[in-house]
mmCIF file of all heavy atoms in Angstrom:
data_model
loop_
_atom_site.group_PDB
_atom_site.id
_atom_site.type_symbol
_atom_site.label_atom_id
_atom_site.label_comp_id
_atom_site.label_asym_id
_atom_site.label_seq_id
_atom_site.Cartn_x
_atom_site.Cartn_y
_atom_site.Cartn_z
ATOM 1 N N PRO I 110 13.887 -13.591 13.593
ATOM 2 C CA PRO I 110 13.734 -12.963 12.275
ATOM 3 C C PRO I 110 12.292 -12.805 11.812
ATOM 4 O O PRO I 110 11.986 -11.887 11.034
ATOM 5 C CB PRO I 110 14.500 -13.917 11.341
ATOM 6 C CG PRO I 110 15.488 -14.593 12.214
ATOM 7 C CD PRO I 110 14.794 -14.765 13.534
ATOM 8 N N ASP I 111 11.381 -13.668 12.260
ATOM 9 C CA ASP I 111 9.995 -13.616 11.798
ATOM 10 C C ASP I 111 9.086 -12.820 12.726
ATOM 11 O O ASP I 111 7.870 -12.811 12.555
ATOM 12 C CB ASP I 111 9.442 -15.032 11.631
ATOM 13 C CG ASP I 111 9.371 -15.798 12.950
ATOM 14 O OD1 ASP I 111 10.009 -15.362 13.935
ATOM 15 O OD2 ASP I 111 8.689 -16.840 12.990
ATOM 16 N N MET I 112 9.645 -12.129 13.688
ATOM 17 C CA MET I 112 8.855 -11.421 14.698
ATOM 18 C C MET I 112 8.373 -10.069 14.174
ATOM 19 O O MET I 112 9.177 -9.242 13.745
ATOM 20 C CB MET I 112 9.703 -11.204 15.953
ATOM 21 C CG MET I 112 8.998 -10.436 17.066
ATOM 22 S SD MET I 112 10.078 -10.315 18.504
ATOM 23 C CE MET I 112 10.073 -12.014 19.071
ATOM 24 N N PRO I 113 7.058 -9.804 14.209
ATOM 25 C CA PRO I 113 6.577 -8.494 13.771
ATOM 26 C C PRO I 113 6.763 -7.418 14.857
ATOM 27 O O PRO I 113 6.607 -7.686 16.049
ATOM 28 C CB PRO I 113 5.088 -8.740 13.504
ATOM 29 C CG PRO I 113 4.924 -10.229 13.438
ATOM 30 C CD PRO I 113 5.958 -10.770 14.389
ATOM 31 N N PHE I 114 7.089 -6.223 14.399
ATOM 32 C CA PHE I 114 7.211 -5.032 15.237
ATOM 33 C C PHE I 114 6.208 -4.003 14.718
ATOM 34 O O PHE I 114 6.131 -3.772 13.507
ATOM 35 C CB PHE I 114 8.600 -4.393 15.100
ATOM 36 C CG PHE I 114 9.729 -5.111 15.770
ATOM 37 C CD1 PHE I 114 10.082 -6.408 15.415
ATOM 38 C CD2 PHE I 114 10.497 -4.467 16.736
ATOM 39 C CE1 PHE I 114 11.150 -7.061 16.014
ATOM 40 C CE2 PHE I 114 11.570 -5.104 17.339
ATOM 41 C CZ PHE I 114 11.893 -6.399 16.982
ATOM 42 N N TRP I 115 5.464 -3.349 15.622
ATOM 43 C CA TRP I 115 4.675 -2.197 15.172
ATOM 44 C C TRP I 115 5.658 -1.096 14.802
ATOM 45 O O TRP I 115 6.525 -0.728 15.602
ATOM 46 C CB TRP I 115 3.718 -1.721 16.260
ATOM 47 C CG TRP I 115 2.833 -0.616 15.757
ATOM 48 C CD1 TRP I 115 1.758 -0.738 14.923
ATOM 49 C CD2 TRP I 115 2.962 0.786 16.022
ATOM 50 N NE1 TRP I 115 1.212 0.498 14.654
ATOM 51 C CE2 TRP I 115 1.936 1.442 15.309
ATOM 52 C CE3 TRP I 115 3.855 1.550 16.777
ATOM 53 C CZ2 TRP I 115 1.762 2.826 15.345
ATOM 54 C CZ3 TRP I 115 3.695 2.928 16.823
ATOM 55 C CH2 TRP I 115 2.652 3.551 16.116
ATOM 56 N N SER I 116 5.526 -0.574 13.592
ATOM 57 C CA SER I 116 6.568 0.297 13.041
ATOM 58 C C SER I 116 6.053 1.628 12.524
ATOM 59 O O SER I 116 6.646 2.237 11.634
ATOM 60 C CB SER I 116 7.305 -0.451 11.917
ATOM 61 O OG SER I 116 7.921 -1.618 12.420
ATOM 62 N N ALA I 117 4.946 2.112 13.102
ATOM 63 C CA ALA I 117 4.419 3.444 12.812
ATOM 64 C C ALA I 117 4.379 3.691 11.297
ATOM 65 O O ALA I 117 3.973 2.822 10.527
ATOM 66 C CB ALA I 117 5.218 4.504 13.567
ATOM 67 N N SER I 118 4.807 4.879 10.858
ATOM 68 C CA SER I 118 4.588 5.294 9.472
ATOM 69 C C SER I 118 5.414 4.549 8.440
ATOM 70 O O SER I 118 5.218 4.753 7.240
ATOM 71 C CB SER I 118 4.827 6.800 9.330
ATOM 72 O OG SER I 118 3.797 7.523 9.956
ATOM 73 N N THR I 119 6.309 3.674 8.871
ATOM 74 C CA THR I 119 6.923 2.767 7.907
ATOM 75 C C THR I 119 5.822 2.013 7.170
ATOM 76 O O THR I 119 5.969 1.647 5.997
ATOM 77 C CB THR I 119 7.871 1.787 8.620
ATOM 78 O OG1 THR I 119 8.823 2.538 9.379
ATOM 79 C CG2 THR I 119 8.613 0.910 7.630
ATOM 80 N N GLY I 120 4.692 1.824 7.845
ATOM 81 C CA GLY I 120 3.542 1.156 7.239
ATOM 82 C C GLY I 120 2.921 1.909 6.079
ATOM 83 O O GLY I 120 2.221 1.311 5.254
ATOM 84 N N LYS I 121 3.138 3.222 5.980
ATOM 85 C CA LYS I 121 2.575 3.977 4.855
ATOM 86 C C LYS I 121 3.128 3.480 3.523
ATOM 87 O O LYS I 121 2.432 3.518 2.497
ATOM 88 C CB LYS I 121 2.848 5.472 5.020
ATOM 89 C CG LYS I 121 2.019 6.156 6.097
ATOM 90 C CD LYS I 121 2.271 7.662 6.107
ATOM 91 C CE LYS I 121 1.327 8.382 7.071
ATOM 92 N NZ LYS I 121 1.603 8.089 8.476
ATOM 93 N N GLY I 122 4.379 3.026 3.518
ATOM 94 C CA GLY I 122 4.929 2.469 2.288
ATOM 95 C C GLY I 122 4.221 1.192 1.881
ATOM 96 O O GLY I 122 4.065 0.904 0.685
ATOM 97 N N VAL I 123 3.766 0.427 2.874
ATOM 98 C CA VAL I 123 3.007 -0.795 2.600
ATOM 99 C C VAL I 123 1.631 -0.433 2.052
ATOM 100 O O VAL I 123 1.143 -1.028 1.079
ATOM 101 C CB VAL I 123 2.893 -1.652 3.875
ATOM 102 C CG1 VAL I 123 2.133 -2.940 3.597
ATOM 103 C CG2 VAL I 123 4.277 -1.948 4.450
ATOM 104 N N THR I 124 0.992 0.567 2.653
ATOM 105 C CA THR I 124 -0.311 1.049 2.186
ATOM 106 C C THR I 124 -0.225 1.491 0.730
ATOM 107 O O THR I 124 -1.073 1.141 -0.097
ATOM 108 C CB THR I 124 -0.782 2.214 3.072
ATOM 109 O OG1 THR I 124 -0.811 1.785 4.437
ATOM 110 C CG2 THR I 124 -2.148 2.710 2.665
ATOM 111 N N SER I 125 0.802 2.254 0.407
ATOM 112 C CA SER I 125 0.984 2.736 -0.960
ATOM 113 C C SER I 125 1.201 1.578 -1.922
ATOM 114 O O SER I 125 0.672 1.576 -3.044
ATOM 115 C CB SER I 125 2.173 3.697 -1.025
ATOM 116 O OG SER I 125 1.952 4.819 -0.194
ATOM 117 N N THR I 126 1.956 0.591 -1.483
ATOM 118 C CA THR I 126 2.217 -0.569 -2.341
ATOM 119 C C THR I 126 0.926 -1.296 -2.686
ATOM 120 O O THR I 126 0.721 -1.713 -3.838
ATOM 121 C CB THR I 126 3.213 -1.515 -1.660
ATOM 122 O OG1 THR I 126 4.456 -0.826 -1.479
ATOM 123 C CG2 THR I 126 3.447 -2.765 -2.485
ATOM 124 N N VAL I 127 0.040 -1.474 -1.707
ATOM 125 C CA VAL I 127 -1.257 -2.091 -1.984
ATOM 126 C C VAL I 127 -1.992 -1.313 -3.067
ATOM 127 O O VAL I 127 -2.557 -1.904 -4.011
ATOM 128 C CB VAL I 127 -2.103 -2.188 -0.697
ATOM 129 C CG1 VAL I 127 -3.528 -2.640 -1.022
ATOM 130 C CG2 VAL I 127 -1.466 -3.135 0.301
ATOM 131 N N ALA I 128 -1.988 0.020 -2.954
ATOM 132 C CA ALA I 128 -2.666 0.846 -3.963
ATOM 133 C C ALA I 128 -2.056 0.631 -5.341
ATOM 134 O O ALA I 128 -2.779 0.498 -6.345
ATOM 135 C CB ALA I 128 -2.595 2.314 -3.560
ATOM 136 N N HIS I 129 -0.731 0.569 -5.425
ATOM 137 C CA HIS I 129 -0.088 0.395 -6.728
ATOM 138 C C HIS I 129 -0.414 -0.951 -7.356
ATOM 139 O O HIS I 129 -0.583 -1.057 -8.578
ATOM 140 C CB HIS I 129 1.425 0.555 -6.583
ATOM 141 C CG HIS I 129 1.853 1.916 -6.154
ATOM 142 N ND1 HIS I 129 1.330 3.061 -6.713
ATOM 143 C CD2 HIS I 129 2.754 2.323 -5.213
ATOM 144 C CE1 HIS I 129 1.889 4.118 -6.140
ATOM 145 N NE2 HIS I 129 2.739 3.693 -5.227
ATOM 146 N N VAL I 130 -0.495 -1.977 -6.542
ATOM 147 C CA VAL I 130 -0.856 -3.297 -7.059
ATOM 148 C C VAL I 130 -2.259 -3.262 -7.664
ATOM 149 O O VAL I 130 -2.522 -3.866 -8.717
ATOM 150 C CB VAL I 130 -0.738 -4.356 -5.950
ATOM 151 C CG1 VAL I 130 -1.360 -5.677 -6.375
ATOM 152 C CG2 VAL I 130 0.728 -4.569 -5.572
ATOM 153 N N LEU I 131 -3.176 -2.522 -7.032
ATOM 154 C CA LEU I 131 -4.535 -2.429 -7.556
ATOM 155 C C LEU I 131 -4.592 -1.565 -8.809
ATOM 156 O O LEU I 131 -5.386 -1.848 -9.725
ATOM 157 C CB LEU I 131 -5.473 -1.885 -6.475
ATOM 158 C CG LEU I 131 -5.632 -2.774 -5.236
ATOM 159 C CD1 LEU I 131 -6.665 -2.177 -4.292
ATOM 160 C CD2 LEU I 131 -6.008 -4.205 -5.601
ATOM 161 N N VAL I 132 -3.766 -0.520 -8.877
ATOM 162 C CA VAL I 132 -3.678 0.258 -10.121
ATOM 163 C C VAL I 132 -3.152 -0.632 -11.247
ATOM 164 O O VAL I 132 -3.650 -0.606 -12.377
ATOM 165 C CB VAL I 132 -2.784 1.495 -9.934
ATOM 166 C CG1 VAL I 132 -2.536 2.197 -11.275
ATOM 167 C CG2 VAL I 132 -3.418 2.489 -8.955
ATOM 168 N N GLU I 133 -2.152 -1.435 -10.915
ATOM 169 C CA GLU I 133 -1.586 -2.366 -11.899
ATOM 170 C C GLU I 133 -2.676 -3.314 -12.436
ATOM 171 O O GLU I 133 -2.664 -3.670 -13.620
ATOM 172 C CB GLU I 133 -0.454 -3.164 -11.244
ATOM 173 C CG GLU I 133 0.305 -4.072 -12.179
ATOM 174 C CD GLU I 133 1.478 -3.386 -12.859
ATOM 175 O OE1 GLU I 133 1.631 -2.151 -12.753
ATOM 176 O OE2 GLU I 133 2.239 -4.094 -13.517
ATOM 177 N N ARG I 134 -3.610 -3.686 -11.590
ATOM 178 C CA ARG I 134 -4.696 -4.590 -11.982
ATOM 179 C C ARG I 134 -5.840 -3.861 -12.682
ATOM 180 O O ARG I 134 -6.768 -4.500 -13.177
ATOM 181 C CB ARG I 134 -5.249 -5.308 -10.754
ATOM 182 C CG ARG I 134 -4.348 -6.421 -10.230
ATOM 183 C CD ARG I 134 -4.976 -7.110 -9.027
ATOM 184 N NE ARG I 134 -6.403 -7.387 -9.232
ATOM 185 C CZ ARG I 134 -7.270 -7.655 -8.267
ATOM 186 N NH1 ARG I 134 -6.854 -7.670 -6.996
ATOM 187 N NH2 ARG I 134 -8.528 -7.896 -8.525
ATOM 188 N N GLY I 135 -5.799 -2.514 -12.679
ATOM 189 C CA GLY I 135 -6.810 -1.740 -13.384
ATOM 190 C C GLY I 135 -8.043 -1.404 -12.587
ATOM 191 O O GLY I 135 -9.058 -0.982 -13.163
ATOM 192 N N LEU I 136 -7.995 -1.542 -11.255
ATOM 193 C CA LEU I 136 -9.182 -1.237 -10.458
ATOM 194 C C LEU I 136 -9.452 0.259 -10.348
ATOM 195 O O LEU I 136 -10.594 0.676 -10.151
ATOM 196 C CB LEU I 136 -9.056 -1.855 -9.052
ATOM 197 C CG LEU I 136 -9.588 -3.292 -8.946
ATOM 198 C CD1 LEU I 136 -8.684 -4.270 -9.679
ATOM 199 C CD2 LEU I 136 -9.758 -3.696 -7.492
ATOM 200 N N PHE I 137 -8.424 1.069 -10.432
ATOM 201 C CA PHE I 137 -8.555 2.526 -10.495
ATOM 202 C C PHE I 137 -7.232 3.071 -11.006
ATOM 203 O O PHE I 137 -6.254 2.327 -11.154
ATOM 204 C CB PHE I 137 -8.920 3.144 -9.131
ATOM 205 C CG PHE I 137 -8.053 2.705 -7.983
ATOM 206 C CD1 PHE I 137 -6.833 3.318 -7.726
ATOM 207 C CD2 PHE I 137 -8.461 1.680 -7.127
ATOM 208 C CE1 PHE I 137 -6.038 2.917 -6.669
ATOM 209 C CE2 PHE I 137 -7.670 1.271 -6.059
ATOM 210 C CZ PHE I 137 -6.453 1.889 -5.828
ATOM 211 N N GLY I 138 -7.210 4.369 -11.284
ATOM 212 C CA GLY I 138 -5.994 5.004 -11.760
ATOM 213 C C GLY I 138 -5.545 6.085 -10.805
ATOM 214 O O GLY I 138 -6.279 6.470 -9.884
ATOM 215 N N TYR I 139 -4.362 6.611 -11.008
ATOM 216 C CA TYR I 139 -3.859 7.659 -10.126
ATOM 217 C C TYR I 139 -4.664 8.941 -10.255
ATOM 218 O O TYR I 139 -4.756 9.714 -9.295
ATOM 219 C CB TYR I 139 -2.378 7.921 -10.407
ATOM 220 C CG TYR I 139 -1.513 6.709 -10.154
ATOM 221 C CD1 TYR I 139 -0.727 6.166 -11.171
ATOM 222 C CD2 TYR I 139 -1.503 6.078 -8.915
ATOM 223 C CE1 TYR I 139 0.046 5.045 -10.958
ATOM 224 C CE2 TYR I 139 -0.736 4.953 -8.680
ATOM 225 C CZ TYR I 139 0.042 4.434 -9.711
ATOM 226 O OH TYR I 139 0.799 3.312 -9.488
ATOM 227 N N ASP I 140 -5.255 9.172 -11.423
ATOM 228 C CA ASP I 140 -6.032 10.396 -11.615
ATOM 229 C C ASP I 140 -7.531 10.163 -11.477
ATOM 230 O O ASP I 140 -8.336 11.032 -11.812
ATOM 231 C CB ASP I 140 -5.687 11.009 -12.976
ATOM 232 C CG ASP I 140 -4.234 11.469 -13.022
ATOM 233 O OD1 ASP I 140 -3.792 12.101 -12.044
ATOM 234 O OD2 ASP I 140 -3.544 11.175 -14.016
ATOM 235 N N THR I 141 -7.909 9.005 -10.950
ATOM 236 C CA THR I 141 -9.315 8.755 -10.615
ATOM 237 C C THR I 141 -9.722 9.653 -9.450
ATOM 238 O O THR I 141 -9.041 9.673 -8.412
ATOM 239 C CB THR I 141 -9.517 7.284 -10.202
ATOM 240 O OG1 THR I 141 -9.156 6.442 -11.291
ATOM 241 C CG2 THR I 141 -10.955 7.028 -9.797
ATOM 242 N N PRO I 142 -10.787 10.442 -9.592
ATOM 243 C CA PRO I 142 -11.259 11.215 -8.435
ATOM 244 C C PRO I 142 -11.635 10.278 -7.279
ATOM 245 O O PRO I 142 -12.286 9.255 -7.493
ATOM 246 C CB PRO I 142 -12.494 11.948 -8.980
ATOM 247 C CG PRO I 142 -12.290 12.000 -10.467
ATOM 248 C CD PRO I 142 -11.589 10.702 -10.797
ATOM 249 N N ILE I 143 -11.204 10.632 -6.088
ATOM 250 C CA ILE I 143 -11.529 9.814 -4.921
ATOM 251 C C ILE I 143 -13.043 9.675 -4.780
ATOM 252 O O ILE I 143 -13.564 8.601 -4.471
ATOM 253 C CB ILE I 143 -10.909 10.417 -3.651
ATOM 254 C CG1 ILE I 143 -9.379 10.434 -3.762
ATOM 255 C CG2 ILE I 143 -11.347 9.642 -2.411
ATOM 256 C CD1 ILE I 143 -8.688 11.221 -2.665
#
């Protein structure tokens, strides 16, 4: 059960989640220019 699998673009959801956590903390907003 604890074994990691490389899972291709399923990881994009994880990437997005990291961004949302930082938006929640106020580090940037969705409409912040890159």
